[in-house]
Amino acid sequence: MDANKLSRRAFLGTSALTGVVSGFSRTFVGLKADPAFLVPTSAEQTAPAADWFDKPMRWAQLTLVENDPGRYDPRLWLDYFERIHADAACLSAGGVVAYYPTNVPLHHRSAWLRDADPFGELFAGCRARGMVVIARTDPHAAHQDVYDAHPDWIAVDAEGRKRRHWASPELWVTCALGPYNFEFMTAVHREIASRYDVDGIFGNRWSGSGMCYCEHCERNFRAATGLALPRTTSPRDPSRRAYLAWQQDRLFELWRLWSREIAAIRPRARFIANAGGGALSPLDMKTVGEIADILFADRQGRSGSTPLWTNGKTAKEYRAALGRKPVGGIFSVGVEDAHRWKDSVQSEAELRLWVAEGTANGMRPWFTKFSGTVYDTRWMPIVERIYGWHHRVERYLRNERPLARVGVVYSQQTAAFYGADRAREKVEDHTLGFYQALLEARVPFEMVHDRRLDAEHVRAFTLIVLPNIACLSDRQCEEIRAFVRGGGSVIATFESSLYDERGERRSDFGLADLFGVRFAGRVEGPMQNSYIRLEHAADARASHRLLQGLHDTPRIINGVWRVDVAPDAAFEATPLTLIPSYPDLPMEMVYPRVEKTNASQAFLREVGRGRVAYFPWDIDRAFWEVMSLDHGRLLANAVDWATNDERPVAVRGPGLLDVTIWRQQASLTVHLVNLTNAMTMKGPVRELVPIGEQRVRIALPAGAKASRVHLLVADRTPEATISGEHVDVVVPSILDREVIAVDF
Ligand SMILES: [Zn+2]
């Protein structure tokens, strides 16, 4: 039995007895505990009630730097937390630097600490303001005295050298999987939990800094697997495969150990790992979702050509693993870039849109600031404005569940065993393309973890999308089949299900029966100058739904990769056929050698009450690469054909909008984030550009009766018509975002 579950049940029992679960923060909100803000509090007096995880809505993180103690002004921070209505804080406690008078040997006290306890002071000040408080530790680096006493605690590179820290060369990089974490950091976590009534300990950079070849890793890996540590990153290397599994086991063991040790001292407290993400993240998100009671997504901002909607995507990925459990979205107020200007400040427009994307997609904001001494204060009123609005409309942000009906699958096993070193291009780019297409089509959707395809986790969806989910086990294929048998629809692209969960190619698709095709033995690409012919009916009105809006289009560009397949089922006339590649130079040679083939490039059919569309090419990845309008339209049409149902919310009007729809206890909300901006695909945003009128039709959930419609950003009552099954709303204009709230 999981120790977490045991202690969770134990303290739930306690809170039921004392009846203090709700309203924990009321007592101290607004209390300026004047000089008392520095006095350590009596723990039992001010501690939030037992199950605190779902309470906080707005997080504040102050990461102290070593010379902060005695130099920075804690009062400034505590006043700021109060002013912005932050109801939870993450504060620096220990690890590479201790900000309290630690007694754990080799736990390095800040050289500026003297007799002070800056962590304790801030902790007490936050508690006096009724805030949830978690302590932050960072174990990834250590000082010379640690090296001298325990050289075996230091990480070792492939050449056998102990690793100096890449940014602070006076420090050493620690091994995450050996005694430094399992013994030393356990002692640190125990000490923090014993001395302070914290609600949890947040571990930053706790899972290692790349491959480690230290004596503990060598020995423990060999004991567990009989193998030497891998020297390649190839998923074909048996040692590498074994390592990926062993490293996960070791890290989950560490996470559970720290959580257990902390909860043994403070039953409501947990270790909260800084971990998680999408297909490219290393730790299995299904397990993460089971261990964590709360989690935070460390996507602080964008750099390079990161699209603005990335923060929303992150929120969806975490929710796919955590379900209803709270997820915080960590954002930096500064520029996030490889060159790491940690004391910088972002534009207001960029910050507002980044946070709006997280909020619209169900994450709770968490600002992070490094250094108690503030060199540039421009961000402070910006976060105050963002949090102020969030606080005012908080009850509409306490979501019960999303009402989206489309789920896009992501697959860590596909990234690890099929994508490997090229996972970004071979796996993630398919997802990004489909994501962009759904966003442009204004379809609300969720992400789905491929290990949560069972009936319980896909029940809410009418359509599941497999954007080149190449690796699927027999069991996962059966779950998808069961979804279709239950009336669900599926869209799949390219090599979906052509490999098993370990990345071994099958002789045929695992989902061949659903697709109605079999693998003909060949994958072609990269193709140059290939096209797709649109097979319109003589009467355009009789053309397939897939071709809607393309009636004047005889042919479109093809993708870059395609799978040769042969139909096994009966299909109606195909809407798309292949025009094979022909030379693109010299220009005199550029003419199609074959103008028409019978090779279908879209297999669409009804299977029971469900619909299945299979594209044997990389339409989604090519859309991400080339952004061809035609590919986007085909994808949107495929989604509408496959769902074959009214959307939960339909939005008509100009611009690029992220549309999400949520149910709260007594209301429904539709978030409209305005991504119409020259800097949407590469930041930072310079200015917010308002878009014009949007006509919004919301389908009311069965049994719900709408009583009032309100715009939460404009703070006004819009022009709206409430009928039995729908609410029609006119939103005159949107600057950065609008939220339509429908009260029941
Ligand atoms: Zn090691």
Side-chain angles (χ1 to χ4, degrees), residues 170-182:
E170 73 280 14
L171 301 179
W172 296 92
V173 177
T174 57
C175 166
L177 307 176
Y180 179 79
N181 266 351
F182 277 85

Side-chain angles (χ1 to χ4, degrees), residues 175 212-214 217:
C175 166
C212 175
Y213 293 87
C214 78
C217 288

Side-chain angles (χ1 to χ4, degrees), residues 453-470:
L453 288 167
D454 53 291
E456 183 196 339
H457 290 109
V458 296
R459 189 176 301 136
F461 303 118
T462 53
L463 168 65
I464 282 179
V465 176
L466 304 173
N468 194 30
I469 304 300

Side-chain angles (χ1 to χ4, degrees), residues 406-420:
V406 175
V408 177
V409 175
Y410 75 97
S411 169
Q412 292 173 281
Q413 69 195 21
T414 299
F417 297 123
Y418 163 87

Side-chain angles (χ1 to χ4, degrees), residues 704-730:
K705 266 187 127 54
S707 64
R708 173 177 178 262
V709 182
H710 200 71
L711 299 182
L712 298 182
V713 176
D715 195 17
R716 56 189 285 264
T717 302
E719 185 189 329
T721 315
I722 301 175
S723 64
E725 292 171 350
H726 295 100
V727 176
D728 289 283
V729 187
V730 180

Side-chain angles (χ1 to χ4, degrees), residues 319 400-408 444-448 452-464 483 486-489 643 645-646 648 661:
R319 185 164 50 260
E400 293 286 316
R401 64 177 192 279
L403 297 178
R405 314 288 302 276
V406 175
V408 177
F445 65 102
E446 289 290 298
M447 302 286 286
V448 181
R452 304 221 320 173
L453 288 167
D454 53 291
E456 183 196 339
H457 290 109
V458 296
R459 189 176 301 136
F461 303 118
T462 53
L463 168 65
I464 282 179
F483 174 72
S489 295
T643 47
D645 197 7
E646 185 188 13
I661 179 166

